[in-house]
Amino acid sequence: MLRMFITVLMAVMVAVPAFAEDDLFGGIDADGNKKIDRKEYRDAAGKLFDRLDKNHDGYLDWDEFKAMGIRDGKKLFKAWDTNKDGRLSREEFIKGSMTQFKNLDKNRDGFIDKNELSQKRNEEGVRKDEPSASPWVIFRF
């Protein structure tokens, strides 16, 4: 009985992150064509910005941004803060996110598919349930 319980528990632990990744992809893929285009990605970036902007001032400070829990978050925050005012405007956040889109679109067809996502995560050595800065920030809602 214990062996069966452990087997089921291990299967669930492996499957849940995969389902979570599929849910995130599906949540961004608005038209359901199994690809994420630039508009879908930009829209998702805008929604993410709105969720992170806890004080609704139209900017993300470091504390709001770091709530995503991504690797090298400080480095990414500084890179996206193009006017170097110590905070990210909605425009800076979306522009930075679109840079990430380019990194993900490996075959340069204007779309991101699940294979490209998996390939990038494997290159980075990132687990399915782990957030990372490059280029996954947009997929951590």
Side-chain angles (χ1 to χ4, degrees):
M1 184 71 166
L2 181 59
R3 177 180 270 169
M4 181 183 212
F5 174 75
I6 291 172
T7 303
V8 170
L9 181 61
M10 288 177 67
V12 169
M13 289 172 62
V14 169
V16 168
F19 290 130
E21 188 173 288
D22 286 345
D23 289 347
L24 290 173
F25 189 95
I28 296 169
D29 179 20
D31 62 10
N33 68 348
K34 306 229 186 286
K35 295 181 179 181
I36 297 171
D37 63 33
R38 286 180 178 86
K39 182 184 180 328
E40 290 169 328
Y41 199 88
R42 186 177 295 109
D43 291 348
K47 289 177 187 176
L48 179 58
F49 179 91
D50 293 342
R51 273 176 125 170
L52 294 171
D53 184 17
K54 296 297 183 190
N55 62 4
H56 308 289
D57 66 352
Y59 295 92
L60 298 181
D61 60 29
W62 168 241
D63 287 332
E64 289 169 320
F65 186 83
K66 77 177 181 183
M68 287 189 288
I70 56 175
R71 286 185 193 175
D72 300 324
K74 193 71 162 178
K75 182 179 175 183
L76 190 66
F77 183 86
K78 287 180 180 181
W80 288 8
D81 181 15
T82 55
N83 66 1
K84 305 303 180 203
D85 66 352
R87 59 189 186 166
L88 298 178
S89 67
R90 193 171 211 278
E91 181 181 325
E92 287 172 318
F93 184 84
I94 291 173
K95 186 176 180 180
S97 297
M98 295 312 294
T99 300
Q100 304 296 48
F101 180 93
K102 291 176 190 174
N103 291 337
L104 278 169
D105 183 14
K106 295 289 197 183
N107 62 6
R108 305 291 183 242
D109 66 352
F111 297 94
I112 300 167
D113 61 34
K114 288 183 182 180
N115 290 332
E116 288 169 318
L117 294 180
S118 295
Q119 179 183 356
K120 187 63 177 176
R121 286 185 75 83
N122 288 338
E123 287 172 8
E124 292 183 349
V126 178
R127 296 184 325 261
K128 287 185 178 184
D129 62 338
E130 179 186 14
S132 68
S134 172
W136 285 84
V137 64
I138 201 68
F139 291 97
R140 292 300 295 179
F141 291 113

